[in-house]
Amino acid sequence: MSFLNHGFFRTLSILAATAVLVLIVLYPRAIAPDSGSVPHGWLVLLLYGMSIAWVHGFGFTPKHKIPHALLHPLVGWLALAVGIWKVFF
């Protein structure tokens, strides 16, 4: 069993995805003060990372090589980190 399948890391993924979801839904102005200045490319990366965190947190592991690589937790955490950095800072 991989260390990434451990319950702690799954819980961490769920908590990270929930934090991003709550922030974006409850306070969308944290992303941009108006709709014209939304960093769309970085927001897509952030939401991609959030989606992978949900997938990993709920325990789905693809068997095929390509989806497995695209939905790997390390890819998701990296996308979340870079997306948060570029969107919010």
Side-chain angles (χ1 to χ4, degrees):
M1 181 186 284
S2 172
F3 76 94
L4 292 175
N5 292 329
H6 193 266
F8 172 76
F9 292 105
R10 290 194 186 277
T11 303
L12 187 64
S13 289
I14 289 282
L15 291 175
T18 301
V20 170
L21 172 75
V22 167
L23 181 64
I24 289 174
V25 169
L26 293 181
Y27 191 63
R29 291 192 183 261
I31 297 171
D34 60 11
S35 62
S37 61
V38 175
H40 289 96
W42 296 115
L43 185 60
V44 168
L45 183 67
L46 174 66
L47 295 177
Y48 175 65
M50 182 189 72
S51 299
I52 294 174
W54 284 119
V55 168
H56 175 250
F58 285 116
F60 178 72
T61 304
K63 301 294 183 204
H64 195 270
K65 290 179 183 180
I66 294 172
H68 184 76
L70 293 174
L71 297 174
H72 196 276
L74 292 177
V75 173
W77 293 338
L78 180 63
L80 260 177
V82 172
I84 288 170
W85 176 53
K86 295 303 259 181
V87 170
F88 295 111
F89 298 106

